[in-house]
Amino acid sequence: MDTPEAVTKRGRMPGRSGFSLPGFLRSREIPIAIVLLLLCFFFWQQRPEAFLRPANLAVIMRFVATFGLLAIGELLVIITGGIDLSVGSMTALNGVLVAMLMTKGIGAIPPLNTILVSATPIAIFPSVILVLIFAGLVGLWHGWFVTKLHIPPFIITLGTWLMASGAAAFITRGYPVVFPSDFPFLGLGQGELLLGGGSEAFQIPNMFSILVVAALFFAFILNSTTLGRHIYAVGGNIEAARLSGINVDRVRMFCYVSSGVMGGLVGILLASRLGQGTPTVDTAYELWAIAATVIGGTSLFGGEGSVLGVILGAAIMGVMQNGMVLLNVSSYLQNVVLGVVLVLAVTWDRWRRHRGS
Amino acid sequence: MSAQSSIVEMQNIKKYFGAVRALRGVDLTLHRGEVLGLVGDNAAGKSTLMKVLSGAYSPDEGQILIEGARAHIANPDDSRRQGIEMVYQDFALANNLDVASNVFLGREVVRWQLGPLRIMNKRAMEDLARDLVARLKIDIESVRLKVENLSGGQRQAVAIGRATAFDAKVIIMDEPTAALSVAAISKVLDLVRELKAHGCSIIIISHRLEDIHAVCDRVIVLRQGRKVADRPVIGDIHEFREQIVAYMVGAKDDFATEMDQP
Ligand SMILES: Nc1ncnc2c1ncn2[C@@H]1O[C@H](COP(=O)(O)OP(=O)(O)OP(=O)(O)O)[C@@H](O)[C@H]1O
Ligand SMILES: [Mg+2]
C-alpha cells in the first residue's frame, strides 16, 4: 500500500539468514565488544605482567559487577524513557541499613531498641531480605509518583537521592558501620570462585557471578517475555502502548522497582565487600551507572538498549579505569578520559542511528 | 434494518476536555455488516467519539451497547475484547519496534507461561505477520523492519493491517487514507468492501467525501460536538458532496433544538 519509490528508498535490512557487513557494524553490541577487546589488548601490551593476572582481573570484575548491576536497573528505567538518579545514594543507604541490621540487629532501629537483638549470623538472611524489600518499596514509590502523579522521574528520584544520602549520614552520624572482621556475611562480597589451583588460579568474584545471573535473567525478560516487549513499547510510544491494551503503569512500576532492588543488591554487596556500611562513599554511583548504559548503546530518549550492551559499557569503563591505574595515570586525569569516552560513545551512537534511518 | 441488528449503539455521549466541549450528547448506531461514514469539519469531535468507543477515552456521560447489551469500556483492552479494533489517525505504532511486534503489540502469541512471565513465540508472530502483509499486499520487504524505517504510507498500511488481523466484529478507521497515494487508496477501499463481505461492521472517518461515497452505506455528520445529520448514502457524488458540505458548515441541521443553538 505504498508508492514503489517510497519502498525502494527505505528499509534495507539484513534478512534472517543473510550476513551483511554494514548490518553487522550497525548492530549495537558488536562494535562495543570490539572496542573492549582493543582496550584489553592495549593494556595487556602496556603491562603484560600485571593486566592479565587473575587478581587484577578480579578487581576489574568487581568493578564491572558493581556498575553493571546498577546499570541493568538503570537500563530498564531508561528504556521506558525515565531515569533513576537515586541509585547511588540508595546504594549507600542500603549498605548502611544492612550493616546496622546485621551488627546491631533490630535494636539498631531507634523505636525498637528496647527489644534489642544482638549481632548474630542468623540475622544475615533476614537482613538481606528486609533491605531488598525496602529497596523495592522505594522503587515502587518512584513508580507511583511517575505514573499516578505524573511527576518527572528526574525530580522524584533526585528527591530520593537527597533523602537517602541525608538519611544514611543521619542514622550513622557520618561514621561507617563496621562488621567484625570474621563475620560470615563478608564472604558474599569478598569471596570468589577459584578455577584451577595454586596461587595463579583464575578467580571469579561472587559479585561477578551474581551479575551474570542478574544479566541473564533481565536479558531473558527483555528479549523473550511480553513484559520485555511492553517495556520497549512504552519507551517507543507510550500512547500507542496504552492504546494496544498494555497496562503501561504496571510496566513502568516494574522498571522502577527493579532499579530500586538493584540499588539494594549493590548496597548489600558493597557493604560485604568493604566490611562496612559506608554512608558517604557511593553517592555518584548513579552517574557511573548511567554512563555505562549510555556507552552500552542505550538511548536516553527511551525505546532502545540491551543488557549485553550495558554490561559491555560497564566493562569498558572498568577496563579503562583499571588500565589507567596500572599505567599510573593520575586519578583526576582518569575521569577526564572516561568523560571523553562517554562523549565519543554518544556521538558515535547518534551517527549510527542517523545512518540507520 | 431493524434495531435488533445494531452491533454498536452509543447513546448521549458527552466528553469534555476542560472548557472544550468536544462531544455534547451524540447518538450513533452501527448496524451489523454496515459501513458507516463519519464526517465533519476539523475539531468536530469525530476522533474523540471513536476514541470513546475504542476505550482510549472514557466519556463524561452516556452509555454504549454492544449487540444490545450494556458494555463497560474503561480502557482499550476492554474494547478489543468486545471485538472492536481501531486504526488511529496518528497510527499509534511503536516506531522502535518492528512490523511484526507492532501487529501483535498487546496480544503477543505466547509459547508458555512461567508464573507472571509470558514467554513469546516470536517465530509464530513473524510468520503470521508475514502472511498478513502478503494477504493485504502491503509493500514491505520484511516484517522485521523497524517501523521508524517505513514510509508514511507503509506505516498506515501496517496500522490498518493490525486492526484487520484479529477477526474484529467492528473496525474503526480514523482517516485511513490520509497518507496514501491514489492507487493505495483504492486498495484500502477494496479492503473495506472485502471486510464488509465477511460480515465485519466498519466506521470510516474521512475528509475525502468521494471515499465515503464509494464505500459507505450511511453517513453521520458531526458539527461542533453534535450530530447534525444521519442519512443513507444516495445519489451521485456531486449531489452527495453538496448536501454533506451543507451540514458540515452549519447551513443544515436535522437534529437542531432551541437549546443547541449557539
Ligand atoms: N486529549 C485532548 N485534550 C484536550 N482537548 C482535546 C483532546 N482531544 C481532542 N480535544 C479537543 O476536542 C475537540 C474535538 O477533537 P477531535 O480530535 O475529536 O476532532 P476531529 O473531528 O477528529 O478533527 P480532525 O478532523 O482534525 O481530526 C477539539 O477541539 C480538540 O481540540
Ligand atoms: Mg480526528
Side-chain angles (χ1 to χ4, degrees):
Chain A
M1 294 193 193
D2 198 19
T3 52
E5 318 87 82
V7 177
T8 44
K9 255 196 313 208
R10 288 162 187 274
R12 302 131 295 149
M13 176 177 167
R16 185 190 290 269
S17 52
F19 173 88
S20 85
L21 190 65
F24 179 75
L25 286 177
R26 232 182 293 134
S27 97
R28 196 185 303 113
E29 291 85 3
I30 289 169
I32 305 174
I34 291 172
V35 170
L36 178 63
L37 285 177
L38 289 176
L39 279 172
C40 289
F41 182 75
F42 173 75
F43 288 120
W44 173 68
Q45 280 278 299
Q46 297 295 310
R47 301 297 308 273
E49 74 294 353
F51 184 71
L52 283 184
R53 267 185 47 222
N56 190 55
L57 291 180
V59 169
I60 296 176
M61 281 192 262
R62 286 207 177 86
F63 181 102
V64 175
T66 303
F67 293 107
L69 284 169
L70 293 178
I72 289 174
E74 202 69 67
L75 168 74
L76 296 173
V77 173
I78 290 176
I79 291 177
T80 66
I83 192 99
D84 187 349
L85 291 181
S86 73
V87 290
S89 66
M90 279 302 291
T91 298
L93 178 61
N94 287 313
V96 165
L97 283 180
V98 83
M100 289 179 89
L101 282 174
M102 280 187 202
T103 56
K104 300 181 187 158
I106 305 294
I109 301 167
L112 297 176
N113 47 17
T114 44
I115 44 168
L116 187 129
V117 181
S118 58
T120 53
I122 299 165
I124 292 176
F125 188 67
S127 302
V128 166
I129 297 297
L130 271 180
V131 167
L132 288 179
I133 290 174
F134 168 74
L137 287 177
V138 172
L140 201 63
W141 156 273
H142 293 153
W144 189 78
F145 272 88
V146 170
T147 58
K148 304 298 181 208
L149 301 184
H150 308 288
I151 307 284
F154 183 91
I155 300 300
I156 185 65
T157 58
L158 184 62
T160 302
W161 185 92
L162 282 168
M163 285 190 266
S165 65
F170 179 74
I171 59 178
T172 58
R173 295 186 183 80
Y175 293 106
V177 182
V178 183
F179 288 102
S181 60
D182 58 347
F183 201 61
F185 168 67
L186 304 189
L188 178 67
Q190 297 175 357
E192 58 251 316
L193 208 69
L194 293 180
L195 301 181
S199 60
E200 287 298 275
F202 194 62
Q203 307 168 6
I204 299 179
N206 293 340
M207 288 176 71
F208 192 77
S209 308
I210 291 171
L211 171 71
V212 170
V213 172
L216 289 175
F217 175 73
F218 282 104
F220 166 74
I221 297 264
L222 281 177
N223 292 327
S224 302
T225 69
T226 56
L227 172 62
R229 176 143 303 164
H230 296 172
I231 289 173
Y232 284 105
V234 164
N237 185 345
I238 190 166
E239 190 54 20
R242 194 178 78 83
L243 294 175
S244 302
I246 295 170
N247 187 335
V248 295
D249 288 354
R250 206 160 55 194
V251 168
R252 291 200 286 174
M253 289 279 193
F254 170 83
C255 294
Y256 284 96
V257 170
S258 299
S259 180
V261 169
M262 295 312 246
L265 185 60
V266 171
I268 290 165
L269 291 174
L270 284 182
S272 166
R273 165 81 188 128
L274 302 172
Q276 59 184 35
T278 315
T280 50
V281 75
D282 313 328
T283 44
Y285 275 26
E286 67 281 336
L287 299 181
W288 288 76
I290 292 168
T293 60
V294 170
I295 292 175
T298 309
S299 163
L300 284 179
F301 297 108
E304 270 204 67
S306 72
V307 172
L308 179 60
V310 157
I311 303 291
L312 290 171
I316 284 182
M317 291 176 61
V319 165
M320 290 204 59
Q321 203 259 359
N322 177 265
M324 288 191 286
V325 169
L326 293 183
L327 296 181
N328 291 321
V329 176
S330 128
S331 68
Y332 302 125
L333 209 52
Q334 289 177 23
N335 282 353
V336 173
V337 174
L338 286 172
V340 170
V341 168
L342 180 66
V343 171
L344 285 178
V346 277
T347 311
W348 170 73
D349 197 52
R350 286 253 97 181
W351 176 82
R352 175 182 71 84
R353 255 179 248 279
H354 274 284
R355 289 246 335 228
S357 60
Chain B
M1 284 196 191
S2 66
Q4 273 70 36
S5 71
S6 80
I7 189 157
V8 172
E9 253 179 85
M10 304 180 76
Q11 299 174 344
N12 191 32
I13 303 293
K14 295 186 180 169
K15 179 71 190 173
Y16 308 124
F17 297 104
V20 178
R21 298 195 289 167
L23 298 173
R24 306 195 267 169
V26 178
D27 298 326
L28 177 146
T29 302
L30 176 67
H31 300 295
R32 204 180 294 275
E34 181 189 39
V35 181
L36 172 65
L38 186 58
V39 300
D41 210 342
N42 291 121
K46 308 178 296 290
S47 297
T48 305
L49 183 64
M50 289 302 100
K51 283 184 172 179
V52 166
L53 182 55
S54 80
Y57 295 146
S58 44
D60 293 311
E61 228 178 279
Q63 56 177 351
I64 299 173
L65 307 183
I66 308 286
E67 299 183 304
R70 181 91 189 259
H72 292 277
I73 297 177
N75 56 52
D77 201 35
D78 292 346
S79 170
R80 274 187 165 183
R81 278 174 210 280
Q82 297 272 3
I84 300 170
E85 289 288 334
M86 178 156 172
V87 183
Y88 291 93
Q89 194 165 8
D90 59 1
F91 313 154
L93 299 169
N95 290 342
N96 59 329
L97 297 180
D98 65 15
V99 171
S101 306
N102 268 288
V103 167
F104 285 93
L105 194 58
R107 51 190 156 194
E108 291 79 6
V109 178
V110 173
R111 193 195 299 273
W112 61 70
Q113 185 139 8
L114 214 110
L117 294 179
R118 288 141 45 86
I119 292 134
M120 297 183 290
N121 188 342
K122 290 191 197 174
R123 174 63 72 90
M125 287 191 278
E126 273 174 28
D127 290 345
L128 289 168
R130 203 171 298 120
D131 290 349
L132 177 75
V133 164
R135 188 152 36 95
L136 299 184
K137 303 191 181 66
I138 302 175
D139 239 326
I140 291 177
E141 237 175 81
S142 160
V143 294
R144 303 173 89 212
L145 277 173
K146 281 190 182 183
V147 167
E148 67 192 3
N149 296 328
L150 301 182
S151 73
Q154 286 174 314
R155 288 179 204 199
Q156 188 144 38
V158 170
I160 294 171
R162 173 173 66 175
T164 58
F166 295 90
D167 293 324
K169 289 190 291 197
V170 176
I171 296 177
I172 307 160
M173 299 183 178
D174 195 346
E175 302 277 1
T177 54
L180 300 185
S181 67
V182 176
I185 288 175
S186 79
K187 266 208 276 184
V188 171
L189 298 183
D190 285 344
L191 176 64
V192 168
R193 293 189 188 98
E194 191 186 314
L195 289 165
K196 177 186 171 172
H198 281 90
C200 204
S201 314
I202 299 163
I203 302 176
I204 300 177
I205 298 176
S206 182
H207 289 293
R208 291 171 46 93
L209 293 180
E210 60 269 40
D211 294 351
I212 299 285
H213 184 259
V215 292
C216 293
D217 304 306
R218 192 159 56 91
V219 63
I220 287 180
V221 185
L222 292 188
R223 180 174 151 75
Q224 295 172 353
R226 279 182 50 252
K227 181 162 84 171
V228 295
D230 186 343
R231 47 191 300 148
V233 174
I234 40 172
D236 70 9
I237 174 70
H238 303 290
E239 202 180 320
F240 177 72
R241 186 193 298 276
E242 210 165 286
Q243 286 193 350
I244 297 301
V245 168
Y247 286 109
M248 282 171 60
V249 300
K252 283 173 85 180
D253 187 340
D254 292 352
F255 296 90
T257 62
E258 273 91 286
M259 223 179 68
D260 285 326
Q261 297 306 321

